[in-house]
Amino acid sequence: MATISYPIGGTQGKPAKRPALAEYFRWSIDHKIIGVQYMVTSLTFFIVAGALAMFIRWELLTPELDFVSNGETYNSLFTMHGTMMIFLWIVPMFAGFGNYLVPLMLGAKDMAFPWLNALAFWMIPPAGLLMLMGYFAGPAEAGWTSYPPLSTIYSPDGQTLWILSLHLLGLSSIFGGINFIVTIKNMRPAGMGYFQMPLFVWSILATSIIVVMATPFLAGALTLLLLDRVAGTAFFDIAAGGDVLLWQNIFWFYSHPAVYIMVLPGMGILSEVLSVHSRKPIFGYRMIALSSMAIALIGFTVWAHHMFTSLNPELRIPFMVTSMIIAVPTGIKIFSWLGTVWMGKIRFTGAMQFGLGFLSLFVIGGISGVMLAAVPVDIHMHDTYFVVSHFHFVLFGGSVFAIYSGIYQWWPKITGRMLNERLATIHFWLTYIGFLGAFFPMHILGMRGMPRRVAVYDPQFQDLNAIVSVFAFILGISTFVLLYNMVVSTVNGKVAGANPYRALTLEWMTTSPPPAYNFIGEPIPYEDPYGYGTEASKEYLKAMESRFGPPPPAKPAPEAEPNAPAPAPEPAGD
Amino acid sequence: MNSGNNSNSNSLLIPILIGGVLIVVGGLIIGQLTPSIFPDQASAESEQVDTLFQFMLVIGGAIFLLVQGLLLYSVIRFRKRDDADDDEDGPTIHGNTTLELVWTAIPAVIVLVLVIYSYQVWVDIRDTRDDEVTISATGARYAWTFGYEDPQARTIDDSDEVISGSLPDLHTYVGQHVVMSMQTQDVIHAFWIPEMRVKQDLLPGRTTEIRFTPIEPESGWDYTDELTGAQYNRYRVVCTELCGSGHGNMWANVYVHESEEAYMEVLEREVFDPIINPPADPTIRGQQVIQTYPCSGCHVLDDLGWAGVTGPTLNGAGDRATTRVAGQTAEEYLYESIYYPGSYLVAGYGALMPQFQPGDPDGANYMPVNDVYAVVAYLCAQSSAEENPCDFDNLRSLIETDTGLDVTFGDEAPASEDSATDDTMTDDATDEDASTDDTMNEDADSDETESTPEADEEENTGDGSD
């Protein structure tokens, strides 16, 4: 059992000092500043890419071309939407969470390489600008997958800027990955072996291994594409001896592991959130940790399932086998999470609602993924709206829901204020319903014959497309509920205190927000980051509260001053 | 939830059994949705694919019900109560080895079964058949052309090569073992017929193949050929690999005829007769020939029912061509717009048209001079004037001067006066010869009327078909 023997004192009732706003706009090697910089930048691109999606859905209300003036404009809409969502929203957003939380969860003062950390972040704004500058040169319009020869011979100059932007983003990602691996390996506190780490840290470790192993292949592919475009080489030019399948293989060798980069940290967030808000240990901790590593490794063997209609037919079956196998560790996690929630004492905080939403939606994406893994079925479904549906279920229903969950979970730690729970509930239901209505019908559209990446479609699909678009607009609107909540909280939110959720991981054992040096003295982790329910854990939390003050009361009286003592310590939120 | 405690295990057994039955039955019910979410089954392959999918949907549906059910149950049953529960934590359950083994083993078994089953379907679908017929397909931004070799292996003139011709539509018939042999002129395209459940990319530098066999449709026949009375169904082949601005427009009709006879009649009428007995009138020949190129992918042309949006309209092309460029006659302008499409761009359109060339028969966008002569003649005829606004002699000498190749169209008398070189020519074909001119003249009258490709089939006087 861990005891805390610092003087009782407290920052009861007042938010800890927040860094000045100007800090966030300049070079800082503090991982907490960098983490916020990552997150705000990513959220900005989320809004931009989301707006592009709204244009796409507006166009698709009718089978003819009306909202956009020509096919190229439409093609650049979904190209930029996809590219920005992947490389400028999800990947850097999780890097932001990792940056903010990993040192705190390890009781460390910062990452292993703070300067490299700042460099990695500052490559992102220029990369984003390069991407957007494409609009002045004829934007990339070959899809985020950018297959040659469409992306070489037949694409405008914005495609070159797109390539350069991705080079920068990939390099940034690799720097971050190295930093995380070294930090996690070397900077765990005494008493925290690998199997005492929070699962979020495990997920960042698995993700970072993928990042450093796979991203160089993206760099390689992008370099070949760039050379073909500007230097007269012929890697992908059939007329001069090149081969278009070369791109597909190298690209997907990175891009399939990339999807695990995009989901594993979300799964890590989910583990934290589900345990805290069910007040129960994570069910099957070891299996969740090991299955993350299994997914990371097996994920390198499945790439050509994206190429079932172009790959040499002889080679398709092995990739079917590996793609099916990877369903097993994923299933283990889903059942373990269900086991965590089962028999718990569930609090429906915003974080928990989105966590449960993740479980509900990700399983659908997983099922459609296994269907796509079967070659004969994929031959029908490849490049149709069925695939669009599948990846949005796992990337939005999965990753974005996890990001929302993480925002609700750690906003109090980052800002010192709670987000409003009623707005969170509204945000959740608008998002869940908007998402289902927008993306579930796409399964049917795809199966019945609608290809993807088209502005113009067979009129028989119009009714379903109209339904999809209307729900997509609802989904778009839902984002603003969160943004509004953030503004309200910043201005007038309930003070969070150090540990509003009475959680056991180390990031909660300091003020909200933490001081620049993170902890006073050496923080001692509780023996089990998910050890809820034991007397020892209650003692640990009591000691924490006596040091930092109790969490804010759940339902304060309308005129309660922030300094009024609550009748009993209660976890915040509903 | 101690696994060792007997009474707990027993009291769990009943709910687990009931739950298990519910999700299996629920999965089976969900699986029944399969036919309503797939389009009609039009091929032998579609039956196998749909059954495999239904199997997966049953399993997936059961898993879906299991997970959503447990979630729903949990959020109701295990929510924190508002009263004394505040401070309490849940039970300290870290795991359950038996359960974890079970939920690893069962998915592993399911996955194994799916792999084996899918492998069997795959092997079956791609198996070669004994009496396959190859139809070639060419994808170009943004239209399809399909090439048919004469099943009767006829040749014309002195050539040894069996005649073959192209159409913008795919024709097949019930029971035909089709092998699509496919090439692309430019970027990657993909060939997909949803009702047949087959898809294959077209890759530059390669010839790719896909096989399918149409079957008798369960829901019956939708169309009847007015001339022959034969029935057919019509589907679409859709491009499913992003190929540029016109990707959504890149589709073609697929006609599945009810019998081989009906199919042969249509091919004879649409493809081989125009080759064996080309019309003397270049505008009529042009109307046939233009359909063997991917023009429909980008242009509007009411005469042929085209609705492409990437390029300017061809309606009234003959009229506009006379005054489009100062100093250029109508035929000069139209000729240039095919062999040198970048030399004049209509306002509002980009330089996207492929450049056709007469010099390299194996190269991309090959269009021999006889074809460009006929096509220009036909485009000239897209005019409201009484007389064709083009000077055909000027056109001929322009082509010959520019390319150095001779335009031989119209040099010889139409083949109807020559005897066919293959003895297996049937009486039907001979009958066609005799009445060819009448047929063609009627077509000339209907030049200006709106007609869709299928309407054309029905409007053709049926002299040559039985």
Side-chain angles (χ1 to χ4, degrees):
Chain A
M1 185 189 111
T3 54
I4 315 298
S5 54
Y6 304 103
I8 290 173
T11 50
Q12 203 163 331
K14 284 203 198 77
K17 193 160 155 302
R18 283 202 280 225
L21 194 60
E23 294 261 2
Y24 292 104
F25 286 92
R26 53 188 184 76
W27 177 276
S28 164
I29 61 170
D30 181 342
H31 74 99
K32 299 185 294 301
I33 305 273
I34 296 173
V36 171
Q37 289 171 324
Y38 263 108
M39 290 196 259
V40 171
T41 308
S42 306
L43 273 165
T44 309
F45 283 109
F46 179 49
I47 310 285
V48 173
L52 294 177
M54 296 298 107
F55 296 146
I56 293 172
R57 287 315 320 176
W58 186 271
E59 170 58 55
L60 290 175
L61 279 169
T62 63
E64 310 90 22
L65 204 61
D66 31 39
F67 177 62
V68 291
S69 50
N70 58 53
E72 283 117 338
T73 310
Y74 183 81
N75 293 350
S76 66
L77 278 180
F78 61 74
T79 301
M80 295 303 250
H81 165 80
T83 310
M84 287 170 71
M85 284 295 194
I86 292 171
F87 293 103
L88 287 163
W89 158 236
I90 295 198
V91 171
M93 187 66 184
F94 281 135
F97 274 113
N99 254 309
Y100 197 96
L101 294 170
V102 166
L104 286 170
M105 287 180 170
L106 297 180
K109 299 211 177 339
D110 209 306
M111 298 276 286
F113 302 122
W115 196 94
L116 187 66
N117 204 10
L119 178 67
F121 166 69
W122 280 104
M123 293 167 77
I124 295 184
L129 274 174
L130 264 179
M131 182 78 66
L132 292 172
M133 269 163 56
Y135 277 102
F136 294 108
E141 54 179 71
W144 84 274
T145 50
S146 189
Y147 281 8
L150 184 63
S151 58
T152 47
I153 306 173
Y154 296 89
S155 282
D157 290 336
Q159 181 74 45
T160 305
L161 292 171
W162 182 94
I163 294 173
L164 295 173
S165 170
L166 282 190
H167 259 307
L168 273 179
L169 291 167
L171 200 53
S172 161
S173 195
I174 293 174
F175 288 155
I178 295 172
N179 218 345
F180 284 123
I181 293 174
V182 175
T183 305
I184 295 171
K185 182 182 182 305
N186 284 349
M187 296 174 71
R188 282 167 289 116
M192 191 187 278
Y194 281 105
F195 288 104
Q196 283 79 46
M197 292 194 313
L199 283 169
F200 177 72
V201 180
W202 266 108
S203 73
I204 294 289
L205 178 61
T207 303
S208 301
I209 292 174
I210 303 177
V211 165
V212 304
M213 279 170 52
T215 317
F217 285 89
L218 178 68
L222 289 173
T223 305
L224 299 186
L225 199 67
L226 183 65
L227 289 175
D228 262 28
R229 282 186 61 84
V230 305
T233 54
F235 296 106
F236 311 120
D237 184 355
I238 286 294
D243 189 335
V244 300
L245 281 183
L246 177 67
W247 165 267
Q248 294 186 24
N249 275 303
I250 311 179
F251 174 83
W252 285 115
F253 189 77
Y254 162 75
S255 295
H256 189 86
V259 314
Y260 298 118
I261 294 173
M262 290 193 278
V263 90
L264 282 174
M267 294 176 160
I269 291 177
L270 193 69
S271 294
E272 303 301 325
V273 166
L274 290 181
S275 176
V276 169
H277 297 283
S278 313
R279 308 300 304 171
K280 244 187 100 221
I282 254 295
F283 191 102
Y285 169 96
R286 210 167 259 254
M287 288 307 280
I288 294 187
L290 292 174
S291 67
S292 305
M293 294 307 236
I295 288 173
L297 291 171
I298 303 178
F300 277 91
T301 63
V302 304
W303 80 91
H305 69 225
H306 300 273
M307 297 163 55
F308 275 156
T309 59
S310 54
L311 184 72
N312 182 337
E314 310 296 333
L315 297 177
R316 296 178 190 178
I317 291 295
F319 287 101
M320 173 173 87
V321 174
T322 53
S323 305
M324 292 259 188
I325 287 176
I326 208 164
V328 177
T330 313
I332 290 173
K333 294 171 104 103
I334 292 184
F335 294 124
S336 297
W337 287 320
L338 285 174
T340 304
V341 167
W342 187 265
M343 293 194 22
K345 308 246 194 257
I346 303 174
R347 286 110 164 98
F348 290 103
T349 55
M352 188 58 164
Q353 290 180 63
F354 277 100
L356 295 169
F358 176 112
L359 274 180
S360 168
L361 297 173
F362 185 80
V363 72
I364 299 176
I367 293 171
S368 62
V370 173
M371 291 173 167
L372 287 168
V375 171
V377 172
D378 185 80
I379 296 295
H380 177 68
M381 319 255 235
H382 172 73
D383 251 319
T384 68
Y385 261 85
F386 189 94
V387 177
V388 177
S389 186
H390 159 73
F391 66 69
H392 281 95
F393 266 88
V394 290
L395 284 177
F396 197 121
S399 303
V400 176
F401 268 64
I403 290 172
Y404 284 162
S405 181
I407 290 177
Y408 285 103
Q409 176 79 349
W410 285 295
W411 176 273
K413 175 55 56 179
I414 298 173
T415 66
R417 307 246 175 195
M418 305 300 291
L419 283 166
N420 180 289
E421 288 297 336
R422 205 171 314 133
L423 285 174
T425 304
I426 296 174
H427 178 212
F428 172 73
W429 284 109
L430 275 179
T431 310
Y432 189 78
I433 292 174
F435 175 84
L436 268 180
F439 290 101
F440 197 86
M442 289 186 185
H443 290 119
I444 301 173
L445 278 172
M447 290 169 70
R448 294 202 66 87
M450 183 170 176
R452 59 185 283 206
R453 300 173 158 171
V454 292
V456 165
Y457 55 82
D458 189 330
Q460 62 162 306
F461 300 127
Q462 177 165 20
D463 289 341
L464 265 182
N465 266 297
I467 294 174
V468 164
S469 288
V470 168
F471 278 96
F473 299 145
I474 294 176
L475 186 61
I477 290 170
S478 74
T479 324
F480 292 99
V481 178
L482 175 62
L483 295 177
Y484 175 70
N485 201 349
M486 288 170 160
V487 170
V488 164
S489 163
T490 306
V491 168
N492 199 22
K494 187 160 66 177
V495 170
N499 195 353
Y501 302 123
R502 301 184 66 242
L504 282 171
T505 41
L506 272 177
E507 77 270 24
W508 302 106
M509 306 309 164
T510 182
T511 58
S512 298
Y517 40 88
N518 289 352
F519 298 94
I520 301 173
E522 289 299 315
I524 301 173
Y526 182 63
E527 66 199 359
D528 176 357
Y530 307 105
Y532 301 99
T534 59
E535 278 311 307
S537 70
K538 291 189 191 150
E539 289 298 318
Y540 185 84
L541 286 173
K542 236 193 297 197
M544 277 296 124
E545 269 163 45
S546 67
R547 181 152 180 248
F548 291 109
K555 293 175 177 61
E559 267 135 61
E561 292 166 37
N563 278 340
E570 286 177 10
D574 237 352
Chain B
M1 205 163 95
N2 278 326
S3 51
N5 185 318
N6 272 341
S7 70
N8 271 353
S9 307
N10 283 342
S11 70
L12 274 177
L13 198 56
I14 311 273
I16 289 179
L17 277 178
I18 295 179
V21 167
L22 279 175
I23 64 175
V24 167
V25 169
L28 285 166
I29 293 175
I30 291 176
Q32 294 303 306
L33 290 169
T34 302
S36 57
I37 38 185
F38 272 115
D40 288 343
Q41 292 178 330
S43 70
E45 291 73 18
S46 66
E47 292 174 320
Q48 293 181 287
V49 169
D50 289 9
T51 309
L52 171 61
F53 181 83
Q54 181 157 3
F55 184 71
M56 293 199 291
L57 185 57
V58 169
I59 297 173
I63 295 176
F64 169 84
L65 289 172
L66 173 69
V67 171
Q68 309 294 351
L70 288 174
L71 264 177
L72 201 55
Y73 183 80
S74 301
V75 303
I76 297 172
R77 172 81 174 74
F78 301 120
R79 64 193 312 151
K80 183 200 92 152
R81 308 289 159 194
D82 264 335
D83 30 289
D85 238 10
D86 300 336
D87 230 359
E88 284 309 303
D89 289 345
T92 49
I93 299 166
H94 284 88
N96 179 318
T97 314
T98 313
L99 201 50
E100 293 180 64
L101 279 170
V102 164
W103 72 41
T104 307
I106 293 186
V109 167
I110 292 176
V111 156
L112 183 63
V113 167
L114 287 179
V115 164
I116 295 174
Y117 182 7
S118 303
Y119 176 71
Q120 288 175 337
V121 173
W122 169 242
V123 165
D124 218 1
I125 285 180
R126 59 179 299 239
D127 211 6
T128 56
R129 322 256 183 242
D130 285 330
D131 45 351
E132 292 176 334
V133 170
T134 303
I135 300 178
S136 73
T138 306
R141 304 184 343 146
Y142 300 101
W144 296 95
T145 17
F146 300 99
Y148 303 88
E149 220 180 58
D150 185 11
Q152 298 173 53
R154 291 167 287 186
T155 63
I156 51 170
D157 302 333
D158 300 321
S159 167
D160 284 333
E161 248 181 71
V162 172
I163 57 174
S164 62
S166 311
L167 285 180
D169 311 310
L170 178 61
H171 290 269
T172 176
Y173 61 90
V174 170
Q176 185 184 36
H177 295 307
V178 179
V179 180
M180 299 302 306
S181 171
M182 309 191 287
Q183 293 182 321
T184 165
Q185 301 273 50
D186 38 45
V187 297
I188 304 175
H189 298 277
F191 174 97
W192 182 40
I193 307 178
E195 285 81 0
M196 309 270 186
R197 316 285 190 269
V198 290
K199 180 185 292 119
Q200 170 60 43
D201 283 13
L202 281 65
L203 300 167
R206 285 178 168 82
T207 303
T208 53
E209 286 187 347
I210 187 80
R211 290 172 161 73
F212 59 91
T213 304
I215 57 174
E216 189 82 34
E218 238 183 71
S219 50
W221 299 102
D222 295 332
Y223 299 94
T224 307
D225 187 323
E226 272 179 17
L227 306 166
T228 65
Q231 292 178 303
Y232 61 92
N233 274 341
R234 192 183 68 190
Y235 311 114
R236 283 192 183 189
V237 54
V238 173
C239 179
T240 26
E241 185 59 55
L242 178 66
C243 52
S245 58
H247 173 53
N249 263 322
M250 186 169 167
W251 56 269
N253 286 316
V254 179
Y255 296 95
V256 179
H257 300 277
E258 64 173 343
S259 65
E260 186 174 2
E261 292 73 42
Y263 164 80
M264 298 283 249
E265 277 172 26
V266 168
L267 280 193
E268 191 63 28
R269 193 171 70 203
E270 305 277 318
V271 180
F272 301 116
D273 191 55
I275 295 173
I276 297 170
N277 307 304
D281 184 344
T283 63
I284 299 171
R285 179 68 183 138
Q287 188 192 48
Q288 296 165 350
V289 159
I290 201 175
Q291 295 186 72
T292 70
Y293 293 98
C295 318
S296 65
C298 294
H299 293 285
V300 168
L301 181 55
D302 292 345
D303 192 41
L304 291 175
W306 294 356
V309 299
T310 313
T313 178
L314 295 177
N315 292 340
D319 287 333
R320 280 194 305 280
T322 49
T323 53
R324 183 75 101 182
V325 176
Q328 255 189 352
T329 61
E331 68 275 6
E332 285 164 5
Y333 171 76
L334 289 170
Y335 169 77
E336 236 187 46
S337 55
I338 297 175
Y339 277 168
Y340 306 98
S343 54
Y344 178 88
L345 293 180
V346 174
Y349 293 94
L352 293 173
M353 178 159 157
Q355 179 166 19
F356 291 93
Q357 48 86 11
D360 179 9
D362 295 321
N365 304 313
Y366 171 60
M367 185 188 288
V369 290
N370 278 350
D371 282 1
V372 76
Y373 177 73
V375 167
V376 170
Y378 171 65
L379 289 176
C380 288
Q382 302 310 305
S383 149
S384 49
E386 272 295 315
E387 257 185 50
N388 191 308
C390 288
D391 177 346
F392 286 1
D393 289 328
N394 184 34
L395 175 60
R396 182 186 289 260
S397 67
L398 158 68
I399 297 174
E400 291 180 344
T401 316
D402 188 53
T403 65
L405 300 165
D406 286 335
V407 174
T408 58
F409 185 90
D411 281 354
E412 301 159 10
S416 57
E417 295 179 18
D418 295 341
S419 53
T421 53
D422 185 306
D423 336 81
T424 63
M425 280 274 283
T426 63
D427 284 344
D428 296 343
T430 316
D431 283 346
E432 281 176 51
D433 292 347
S435 53
T436 293
D437 286 331
D438 288 343
T439 310
M440 296 312 160
N441 286 337
E442 284 187 53
D443 275 353
D445 288 342
S446 63
D447 246 5
E448 268 86 43
T449 61
E450 275 204 49
S451 58
T452 64
E454 65 182 341
D456 270 347
E457 287 179 7
E458 290 154 12
E459 276 167 29
N460 269 342
T461 59
D463 302 333
S465 41
D466 289 324

